[in-house]
Amino acid sequence: MALVLLIIVGAGVIAAFTGGSWLGFSELRLRAKPVVVAAVAAQVIGAVLADHTGKSWCYSAGLAASAACALAFCIANIRVAGIPLVAVGLVLNAIVVARNGAMPVSIFSAHRAGVSILSIASGNDPRHTIAGIGSVWRSLGDIIPVPLPLVPQVVSPGDILVAAGLGEFIVMTSRRRRDTDQLAGGATFQASQALSTMARRS
């Protein structure tokens, strides 16, 4: 989560310094918006149930439902910048969790990032498991150390795709207004030039 927030803030700064405008978001027309709410709700409910019941399958089921909703949203908005990356990232996370019952975490990566794995090792974290020989598709698990100050993390390739997709979405969507204005300005200039030419010929 900290990585995603960092990317969102960074994307906002880049958008501001490259002439982006928040008005671009008001002009964006997304389809199947309720599916996003369903995706977030499914993942949150699954995580809460897993934490309170200690059953990792709740998290797996919630993540799978969230990925299905994300895929449906992606198909409906396939041409919107960043959306495909987010959907693919969520699907990858759902796949590895479904195959392992929880998200496998690399001990080596956790050590490099400075993340404690005591709760995972003791079985008090139903959403994560220690990556070992029996883990399936370990390369899609939490293997990337992110030693952020105060909130170090170990993230998965899917998490990276989600963060990158959100960053792309913010930067490109904020530029929609500027690009539209430039196109409109260019068209107006060409029209005025054509009218001037016609006037001189007449």
Side-chain angles (χ1 to χ4, degrees):
M1 181 61 70
L3 175 64
V4 172
L5 292 177
L6 181 63
I7 293 296
I8 289 176
V9 172
V13 172
I14 292 174
F17 278 95
T18 56
S21 171
W22 294 111
L23 293 176
F25 292 92
S26 64
E27 298 176 355
L28 183 64
R29 297 293 180 265
L30 294 175
R31 300 176 181 178
K33 293 180 181 179
V35 178
V36 177
V37 179
V40 174
Q43 189 163 348
V44 171
I45 292 174
V48 171
L49 288 177
D51 288 339
H52 283 76
T53 64
K55 299 183 182 299
S56 60
W57 68 264
C58 294
Y59 179 60
S60 301
L63 197 57
S66 178
C69 292
L71 185 59
F73 180 77
C74 175
I75 293 173
N77 300 279
I78 194 65
R79 296 184 178 181
V80 178
I83 296 300
L85 284 178
V86 173
V88 171
L90 291 176
V91 169
L92 290 181
N93 282 344
I95 289 174
V96 69
V97 169
R99 294 299 303 274
N100 294 279
M103 178 64 76
V105 179
S106 166
I107 297 178
F108 176 73
S109 297
H111 176 71
R112 290 189 61 187
V115 175
S116 173
I117 59 172
L118 290 178
S119 61
I120 303 175
S122 61
N124 294 324
D125 185 351
R127 292 183 294 169
H128 298 87
T129 184
I130 300 297
I133 298 177
S135 300
V136 182
W137 290 0
R138 292 177 57 179
S139 59
L140 294 181
D142 286 347
I143 60 172
I144 304 172
V146 185
L148 294 173
L150 302 179
V151 282
Q153 288 182 294
V154 183
V155 300
S156 67
D159 294 334
I160 297 295
L161 288 177
V162 170
L166 291 175
E168 181 185 5
F169 173 78
I170 292 174
V171 172
M172 299 306 295
T173 302
S174 69
R175 294 168 62 89
R176 285 170 57 89
R177 176 83 180 194
R178 189 187 72 172
D179 294 342
T180 301
D181 291 343
Q182 288 178 344
L183 289 174
T188 302
F189 176 76
Q190 292 177 358
S192 64
Q193 288 291 94
L195 289 174
S196 299
T197 302
M198 292 174 62
R200 287 197 299 270
R201 289 179 178 176
S202 61

